[in-house]
Amino acid sequence: MKKRLVLLGASGSIGRQTIDVVLAHPRQFEIVALSVGHQIPVLEEILSRLAVSTVCVEEKSDAQRLRKQYPQIRFCAGDEGLETLAALRGYDVLVNALVGFVGFRPTLCAIRHHHDIALANKETLVVGGELITAAVRRYKVRLYPIDSEHSAIWQCLRGNEKKSVKRLIITASGGAFRKLPRSRLKTVTAAQALAHPTWTMGAKITIDSATMMNKGFEVMEAHYLFDIPYDSIDVLMHDESVIHSMVEYQDHSVIAQLGAPDMRLPIQYALSYPRRLPLAQE
């Protein structure tokens, strides 16, 4: 049966790659509603490829103008609009590809309306992990990780008992400055920080990768996603970005998930779970 998706953050890196996955598997997935913030030209390009019923933009003025251009689509705006999308009936999974704290409220709203979540918005768990995990338990929904590191851990845990886990090992690429001497960090530029050597990601995550702030967020995210104590979560530098993360068990066996640095893989795994679908290589 085809999964019906609501996609928040469709104009960003994760959002656009989610659309790629959906279009590659039209029999498995369908996007019924999406949000794009301020990126109206990107929205127009997306609407030329997808038929959706509801769209959220940031500004009310944009929503009013777009209603005339696309009379068959319902438009809403702002934070209230994001929650409107999250609360829609008749869809299966909310894909949260927003950036920052703005992703928290629609995630909680979707959970309260009994929708599963495919989560790329790590700030949702960083700022409100206890609230989100409590809601997931209360409303009996599923929380699927999209971040490559957490998808890797999720895959490595599959088929094993959590009580047998010794530690989670989150790998870190180190970002653009991983081999730069500390003495030179005072003169680096934003353009240099955005030139990630292995991954193609959105600007905020790429900057956070260069400062390693992103890895701190990911440790917090892993704690809430897998209910593992912080003392049992380690970070390991891995320049090549081939091993996306590992799990060590009590018998000292280590299971790792390897793959190309392609975010479509964890996106597709979250959407197709527990199945695996073909993924075209770029």
Side-chain angles (χ1 to χ4, degrees), residues 16-28:
R16 300 195 75 166
Q17 290 179 86
T18 299
I19 292 172
D20 290 342
V21 168
V22 169
L23 292 177
H25 299 284
R27 294 184 179 180
Q28 281 76 31

Side-chain angles (χ1 to χ4, degrees), residues 21-57:
V21 168
V22 169
L23 292 177
H25 299 284
R27 294 184 179 180
Q28 281 76 31
F29 311 118
E30 176 186 8
I31 296 174
V32 299
L34 56 84
S35 77
V36 296
H38 294 96
Q39 301 294 327
I40 305 305
V42 176
L43 171 62
E44 292 173 341
E45 186 269 332
I46 290 172
L47 293 180
S48 71
R49 304 166 68 199
L50 297 175
V52 301
S53 62
T54 311
V55 171
C56 176
V57 293

Side-chain angles (χ1 to χ4, degrees), residues 180-222:
L180 197 68
R182 181 174 296 185
S183 60
R184 294 179 55 189
L185 291 177
K186 293 181 179 180
T187 60
V188 299
T189 66
Q192 290 173 315
L194 288 166
H196 197 289
T198 53
W199 284 97
T200 300
M201 305 179 292
K204 182 184 184 299
I205 297 177
T206 306
I207 294 292
D208 286 348
S209 177
T211 64
M212 292 294 287
M213 178 65 74
N214 195 51
K215 209 52 54 177
F217 288 161
E218 288 175 0
V219 169
M220 298 174 70
E221 189 178 2

Side-chain angles (χ1 to χ4, degrees), residues 82-244:
L82 292 175
E83 293 193 55
T84 296
L85 264 60
L88 289 173
R89 296 182 179 182
Y91 76 93
D92 302 296
V93 180
L94 179 90
V95 182
N96 188 338
L98 296 167
V99 175
F101 176 69
V102 68
F104 174 78
R105 286 176 55 184
T107 299
L108 192 58
C109 178
I111 293 170
R112 288 172 174 170
H113 284 82
H114 303 278
H115 296 300
D116 292 337
I117 309 295
L119 188 65
N121 175 249
K122 57 176 59 65
E123 290 85 357
T124 288
L125 294 179
V126 170
V127 303
E130 292 183 7
L131 294 173
I132 295 295
T133 53
V136 165
R137 290 191 296 270
R138 178 179 177 183
Y139 293 95
K140 297 180 173 59
V141 301
R142 295 179 178 179
L143 186 59
Y144 303 123
I146 285 180
D147 273 354
S148 62
E149 294 84 357
H150 303 89
S151 176
I153 291 170
W154 181 29
Q155 294 176 63
C156 292
L157 289 170
R158 189 171 175 182
N160 293 288
E161 294 181 311
K162 192 182 75 173
K163 64 182 182 181
S164 66
V165 173
K166 181 178 181 181
R167 61 173 177 152
L168 309 181
I169 305 169
I170 300 175
T171 57
S173 69
F177 305 134
R178 59 194 182 189
K179 296 182 179 179
L180 197 68
R182 181 174 296 185
S183 60
R184 294 179 55 189
L185 291 177
K186 293 181 179 180
T187 60
V188 299
T189 66
Q192 290 173 315
L194 288 166
H196 197 289
T198 53
W199 284 97
T200 300
M201 305 179 292
K204 182 184 184 299
I205 297 177
T206 306
I207 294 292
D208 286 348
S209 177
T211 64
M212 292 294 287
M213 178 65 74
N214 195 51
K215 209 52 54 177
F217 288 161
E218 288 175 0
V219 169
M220 298 174 70
E221 189 178 2
H223 166 71
Y224 288 113
L225 280 171
F226 306 113
D227 192 25
I228 297 292
Y230 284 114
D231 289 345
S232 299
I233 304 173
D234 289 338
V235 174
L236 177 67
M237 192 69 71
H238 173 54
D239 295 1
E240 295 83 2
S241 298
V242 174
I243 300 173
H244 298 306

